[in-house]
Amino acid sequence: MAKKKFYAYLSGGKKGVTDNWKDCEKIVSGVEGARFKSFLTREEAERWLEAGADYAIKHLASEKGVYFDAGTGAGKGVEINVTNEKGKGLLSKVLPREYINRNGHHWIFRDITNNFGELLACKYALQIALKENVKKVFGDSNLIIESWSKGHVSRKGILQETIDLALEVKRLRNEFEKKGGEICYIPGGSNPADLGFHKD
């Protein structure tokens, strides 16, 4: 059974959300400059409209926080993204400009795993949250949230670089949690930092 979708539209002075494509199509069809997009929840569709119906926005979270993701789907290495709840890139708060591409992401062009990328993204997210006094960090990797960011990494088959990074992230996480911070899971399809290289 197909998942129910909600369609946000901005068309000829009309703005709203409908729960079926046929109604949305009637409103936007033939209207120059009309904007429309499908979402899994009505709330996310409404937030997209409130944010200006910008196609560059993939997801808008409902909670203030720092969001992270990593992916290898482009086949060039590992890409890292860290954003706020509106999808605005935050990596410039902890990385020099030359390490950030035109999309606001950080690329690592060497042989590392996506899990290493997620752990590094978590590190940057924690650094930003501590610097900006943000109390929640969100990611879509259970492995990172429930294990590696707590320093629980099996040494079998894992590079020392990954183990060292996990211990550094554990230290940051402890500091973050002592200050009242919390790391939370968010599904990839709702993550504003989502790079789209996952199966929800």
Side-chain angles (χ1 to χ4, degrees):
M1 185 178 184
K3 285 184 181 177
K4 185 176 177 84
K5 287 189 177 179
F6 295 87
Y7 298 86
Y9 60 85
L10 180 61
S11 175
K14 295 179 185 173
K15 175 167 99 167
V17 177
T18 180
D19 64 1
N20 66 82
W21 169 241
K22 285 187 178 184
D23 286 349
C24 181
E25 186 179 28
K26 285 179 196 171
I27 295 165
V28 301
S29 184
V31 179
E32 190 176 331
R35 292 178 165 259
F36 52 94
K37 188 172 165 92
S38 68
F39 295 90
L40 294 178
T41 68
R42 179 176 292 278
E43 293 75 21
E44 193 173 12
E46 289 168 352
R47 289 194 301 273
W48 182 72
L49 286 174
E50 288 167 19
D54 183 349
Y55 284 128
I57 299 169
K58 289 201 285 183
H59 306 290
L60 286 161
S62 59
E63 264 189 275
K64 180 177 171 51
V66 178
Y67 294 76
F68 69 90
D69 192 29
T72 56
K76 299 175 188 172
V78 172
E79 187 175 8
I80 290 171
N81 192 24
V82 180
T83 74
N84 67 10
E85 63 279 2
K86 294 180 180 173
K88 182 180 180 216
L90 300 175
L91 283 169
S92 62
K93 294 182 180 293
V94 292
L95 287 176
R97 185 72 205 133
E98 62 266 24
Y99 292 108
I100 301 168
N101 69 18
R102 59 184 160 80
N103 297 321
H105 306 161
H106 174 58
W107 276 99
I108 304 168
F109 297 106
R110 59 189 174 87
D111 190 21
I112 59 166
T113 65
N114 185 64
N115 288 332
F116 182 91
E118 290 274 2
L119 185 61
L120 187 57
C122 181
K123 171 190 165 179
Y124 294 148
L126 286 167
Q127 287 175 330
I128 292 163
L130 284 162
K131 187 176 181 180
E132 303 290 316
N133 198 29
V134 176
K135 296 299 180 192
K136 287 202 173 180
V137 166
F138 297 86
D140 56 32
S141 170
N142 272 318
L143 175 68
I144 301 306
I145 293 167
E146 298 301 327
S147 186
W148 285 17
S149 67
K150 295 177 179 179
H152 306 305
V153 181
S154 166
R155 294 185 179 265
K156 188 176 180 184
I158 301 291
L159 296 174
Q160 187 60 45
E161 179 183 19
T162 303
I163 294 165
D164 293 344
L165 179 59
L167 294 174
E168 184 182 358
V169 173
K170 176 186 176 183
R171 182 188 56 74
L172 284 167
R173 181 175 181 159
N174 287 343
E175 182 184 347
F176 178 61
E177 289 177 340
K178 279 179 187 169
K179 293 183 175 181
E182 181 183 5
I183 297 185
C184 308
Y185 174 81
I186 186 169
S190 300
N191 186 353
D194 178 49
L195 291 166
F197 306 141
H198 63 86
K199 203 171 178 182
D200 239 353

